[in-house]
Structures are given as C-alpha cells and as structure tokens.
Amino acid sequence: MMPPALLQALNEEQARFGPFAGRVRWFEEITSTNDVALAAAEAGEDEGLVVLANRQTQGRGRLGRTWASVAGAGVYMSLLLRPSTAVMPLLTLTAGVAVADGIEAATGLSVALKWPNDACVRYGAGWKKLAGLLAEAGDTGTRRPYTVIGIGINVTGAACPPDI
C-alpha cells in the first residue's frame, strides 16, 4: 500500500499539472523536441507529453529557420496537445502569453510578444528575442487532431550564436 503522504503528493501533482503530470521525456541530445513529439502524436500518444532536451542538433523555428540549441544554454521543449479544432488557432498565442508570463515571473523582465511567436525584451534601443514558439499540427487519420507546441527559451548569452 502506498504511504498516505506520497498518495496525497501524487494527487496534488495530478491536480496541478493535469495531463502533463509524469509525462516528461528527457534527452541529453536530440534532433528536435518537436520531431519526437510529432512522432509520438502520429503513433497515437495521448495529450500531455512533454519532451525536453539539453541540446538539439536540428532545432527549428518558423519558415524553416534554424533555432540554435546550445547545450545547457536554454530550455528546449515540446508539448503534445489534442485540443478541439475550435481551439487550435489560439494555441500559439496562448502558449506565447504563457511563456511571456513565465519569463516575467522568473526574472522580473518586462516581456513583449512579437506576433505570432517571439517573446522579446527591450535591449538598448531595440529588442532582443528571448524565446520562440513553433506550432505544428496534424491528424493521425483517426480523427484525433493534435498540435505540438515547440518552445525554445534563451537562458544564457551562449544560447545565441555570435551571428545573431
């Protein structure tokens, strides 16, 4: 029998994290967290999978752009969601607001969203990108639509190559 304190802690975690509780897959190095989450979605994985990596070798952003994913310099993750089709168009904006709010809560920085998927802060006379989001949607053919939200957050200066 599970100790009551442990059972209570697990129930509280489940209530707080919902379908994401206990659904994290960690990789030291991976091509792209979105690649793994997309493959899982196509294989029928339920909503709530979180894929995290210390480094991505083929991280990507919108329009096929490269997302630099230096080991230990950022947060690189993807979430598998299976929302109703009515909600799908709102996911990138909703995730962007959540990322901006999280960065603000953790750092005290004032974060602005640059439509549709960049979280930025004022830096000198301009803006500096702190995070980017990439939503990729599909349907497994079984009427189980999904969206994978990829999130990259630059935590240290090393996350940005010199040419950026």
Side-chain angles (χ1 to χ4, degrees):
M1 179 175 207
M2 189 177 296
L6 181 56
L7 181 58
Q8 179 180 352
L10 289 173
N11 287 336
E12 288 171 2
E13 177 184 315
Q14 185 65 38
R16 181 173 174 206
F17 294 107
F20 301 101
R23 305 282 312 283
V24 175
R25 292 188 193 159
W26 167 259
F27 297 87
E28 185 61 34
E29 182 176 293
I30 196 171
T31 56
S32 164
T33 57
N34 265 29
D35 289 346
V36 171
L38 288 166
E42 286 294 323
E45 180 93 26
D46 289 333
E47 176 177 72
L49 175 66
V50 179
V51 180
L52 288 159
N54 186 44
R55 178 176 184 268
Q56 297 179 113
T57 59
Q58 296 175 26
R60 62 183 179 276
R62 274 185 357 115
L63 306 174
R65 294 183 180 117
T66 299
W67 181 267
S69 305
V70 178
V75 175
Y76 316 116
M77 68 180 220
S78 296
L79 311 170
L80 170 56
L81 305 172
R82 290 193 181 273
S84 70
T85 53
V87 173
M88 287 177 107
L90 304 172
L91 289 179
T92 300
L93 180 59
T94 302
V97 169
V99 167
D101 285 352
I103 292 171
E104 285 183 2
T107 66
L109 296 170
S110 181
V111 179
L113 286 180
K114 179 181 169 192
W115 184 260
N117 64 338
D118 296 337
C120 304
V121 294
R122 284 227 175 262
Y123 187 77
W127 293 90
K128 184 99 170 161
K129 182 173 177 175
L130 289 182
L133 293 94
L134 176 65
E136 296 182 280
D139 187 326
T140 60
T142 60
R143 302 214 274 183
R144 290 194 69 208
Y146 62 85
T147 298
V148 168
I149 304 280
I151 301 169
I153 303 173
N154 299 325
V155 176
T156 72
C160 298
D163 59 329
I164 295 179

